[in-house]
Amino acid sequence: MGRNQRVLTDPERKAIRERKKKEQKKKLRRRRAALFLLLAVCLCLGIAAASVWNRAKGKEAEQVLAEAETEEELVIDPWQEETLPDIGAVYGIAVNQAGWSHFFADNSYAMAPVDSYVTAFRCTLSNQPAGMTGTVSYQVNLSGSGWLDWEEDGEEGGASSGDSPLEAIRMQLTGELGEHYDILYSVLQGQAWTDWATDGEEAGISGQGMRVDGIRVSVAKRQEGKKSYAGNIDPTKPMVALTFDDGPSASATLRILEALSQNGGRATFFMVGRQVTKYPDVVRSVAASGSEIGNHTYDHVAMTKEDPTELAEQLSKNNQTISSVCGVAPVLMRPVGGAQSDTGMTVVGAVSMPAVLWSVDTLDWKTRDAQSTIAAVLDTVQDGDIILMHDLYDATAEAAETIIPELTERGYQLVTVSELASYRGGMLPGKTYGKFRPVQ
């Protein structure tokens, strides 16, 4: 992706000018200190130091101050915190006996199927600013081999053609990237996600025969005096996940995306494969916005009405369709109508996915009424809710245009389902989740 550019506001330009003036004045003080030292040396040597001082004072000092006052000559650091774009990790895993997965988006759950494990890993970055030096590098601990050499930018770490599992990973950003961004990562080990590691720390336990069954990675902008969090989410603040089923559509989906963009929010769109083929540009817009794309089967079929082979084909075909359109594959699925069966959930686990239900049902598909949908959300919403809507209807888009800014005003972070789960216990393949309340 290209560099994310924006025009500086007047207050931002004023702040930058003031910072530059301070830097220039500091430079002047340093030069004066050096000149005083030179004066002392010259006096000791019997040299006419006064002329040295006068010449320097008359030219150097005036020049420095003039530069500080001249806006036209102001040089702005291109990597100021307030102008840095969001960067995302894009990564894949190799699974024992299955080979490489699709690529997954930043802070997604890249997991092996139930009863399998990860044998290799690769990672690159999206939206790195043009001209910014550095890349992503990573090192894996391969069972029986120990820590392998560091790899970078999409190269294989591990042994995708072998049977040995990964036991741990380390990651870091190099060059200017590492000066302005942090990389955070976690592994699924022993049926639990590890705490987030960052910038070269070890994620996972090596040397004790424990395997890695999943990996997630996120790149976050560094903020002076603040801790970095995956997805730039503050886990101490309330959050909810808005979800939209059955799309995308030509109109409603884009209206919802615009409302999210205006309020700094993200959502999860559980897409039907047939709709994906109709509106590929909308799918790409969802992916580019940072919102999450989930799997709602290719033909909108209920889990309870499909045999295992057909259900697996529905999920796999939709994953492939979405990946071919936008470059990243879903990691979550939503059962059509919420209908589930033990046999169907076995298939879901076999394709490395959790099933996502909801805790707030707006019934927007039934009422087709914006005010009813608004009330269903705003009258009941709680921290950790997963809210069900459908991005096929203009009434739902109209409701979202009220719901999104109001939830933001109330202090909720609007996050994807994967992001909501990431600080509240995580998810496992083959399991079902309907909400993520704060961890006590």
Side-chain angles (χ1 to χ4, degrees), residues 184-248:
L184 301 97
Y185 45 98
S186 172
V187 301
L188 177 59
Q189 195 169 61
Q191 291 296 289
W193 287 94
T194 65
D195 291 337
W196 289 103
T198 186
D199 299 331
E201 297 173 343
E202 182 174 336
I205 300 173
S206 59
Q208 297 186 21
M210 298 183 67
R211 70 191 194 192
V212 168
D213 296 333
I215 299 173
R216 56 187 181 183
V217 185
S218 183
V219 178
K221 286 186 285 189
R222 285 187 176 175
Q223 301 182 62
E224 187 174 353
K226 296 182 180 180
K227 183 178 179 180
S228 294
Y229 292 112
N232 294 303
I233 298 164
D234 187 342
T236 67
K237 295 180 179 180
M239 60 187 90
V240 296
L242 302 178
T243 66
F244 299 89
D245 286 8
D246 296 355

Side-chain angles (χ1 to χ4, degrees), residues 6 8 12 15-16 19 79-85 221:
R6 69 180 181 84
L8 295 178
E12 289 173 337
I16 293 172
R19 184 166 60 248
W79 312 129
Q80 296 296 323
E81 178 182 309
E82 61 269 20
T83 61
L84 285 172
K221 286 186 285 189

Side-chain angles (χ1 to χ4, degrees), residues 184-422:
L184 301 97
Y185 45 98
S186 172
V187 301
L188 177 59
Q189 195 169 61
Q191 291 296 289
W193 287 94
T194 65
D195 291 337
W196 289 103
T198 186
D199 299 331
E201 297 173 343
E202 182 174 336
I205 300 173
S206 59
Q208 297 186 21
M210 298 183 67
R211 70 191 194 192
V212 168
D213 296 333
I215 299 173
R216 56 187 181 183
V217 185
S218 183
V219 178
K221 286 186 285 189
R222 285 187 176 175
Q223 301 182 62
E224 187 174 353
K226 296 182 180 180
K227 183 178 179 180
S228 294
Y229 292 112
N232 294 303
I233 298 164
D234 187 342
T236 67
K237 295 180 179 180
M239 60 187 90
V240 296
L242 302 178
T243 66
F244 299 89
D245 286 8
D246 296 355
S249 66
S251 174
T253 306
L254 294 177
R255 288 176 64 183
I256 294 165
L257 283 182
E258 178 62 23
L260 289 166
S261 175
Q262 290 177 358
N263 292 275
R266 295 182 286 270
T268 300
F269 295 80
F270 289 97
M271 295 185 178
V272 173
R274 291 178 304 182
Q275 293 294 107
V276 170
T277 61
K278 291 180 182 178
Y279 305 109
D281 288 342
V282 178
V283 177
R284 284 188 281 269
S285 293
V286 173
S289 75
S291 286
E292 181 172 35
I293 298 175
N295 189 324
H296 203 42
T297 75
Y298 188 86
D299 290 306
H300 198 257
V301 295
M303 179 187 298
T304 53
K305 297 181 179 180
E306 295 291 307
D307 67 37
T309 302
E310 291 173 344
L311 178 60
E313 174 63 21
Q314 283 282 325
L315 294 172
S316 297
K317 184 178 180 180
N318 201 17
N319 279 347
Q320 179 60 50
T321 300
I322 292 169
S323 178
S324 65
V325 169
C326 67
V328 293
V331 297
L332 312 177
M333 68 85 62
R334 170 163 282 164
V336 171
Q340 293 179 278
S341 66
D342 291 343
T343 301
M345 288 305 297
T346 298
V347 172
V348 172
V351 294
S352 312
M353 287 183 156
V356 178
L357 297 182
W358 52 84
S359 53
V360 176
D361 187 351
T362 64
L363 297 177
D364 63 329
W365 62 273
K366 184 177 183 180
T367 67
R368 310 286 179 91
D369 179 75
Q371 292 305 314
S372 176
T373 301
I374 292 168
V377 175
L378 298 184
D379 292 351
T380 63
V381 65
Q382 299 179 59
D383 186 7
D385 272 335
I386 298 175
I387 299 169
L388 172 62
M389 292 180 277
H390 299 75
D391 57 325
L392 292 180
Y393 314 116
D394 286 335
T396 297
E398 181 182 344
E401 289 166 345
T402 296
I403 291 168
I404 289 168
E406 176 60 25
L407 289 177
T408 304
E409 180 66 23
R410 293 185 187 184
Y412 287 103
Q413 298 173 101
L414 304 184
V415 300
T416 69
V417 173
S418 287
E419 290 171 338
L420 178 61
S422 67

Side-chain angles (χ1 to χ4, degrees), residues 124-201:
T124 186
L125 300 172
S126 65
N127 209 33
Q128 180 172 340
M132 178 175 281
T133 64
T135 189
V136 58
S137 64
Y138 39 91
Q139 184 183 36
V140 303
N141 189 297
L142 185 66
S143 183
S145 301
W147 288 102
L148 305 184
D149 292 337
W150 285 86
E151 304 292 347
E152 62 180 28
D153 196 23
E155 295 298 322
E156 177 177 323
S160 59
S161 60
D163 295 324
S164 297
L166 301 189
E167 296 185 358
I169 65 170
R170 296 170 177 152
M171 301 187 73
Q172 63 184 13
L173 299 173
T174 62
E176 291 174 333
L177 274 170
E179 297 173 6
H180 296 282
Y181 295 87
D182 286 318
I183 189 162
L184 301 97
Y185 45 98
S186 172
V187 301
L188 177 59
Q189 195 169 61
Q191 291 296 289
W193 287 94
T194 65
D195 291 337
W196 289 103
T198 186
D199 299 331
E201 297 173 343

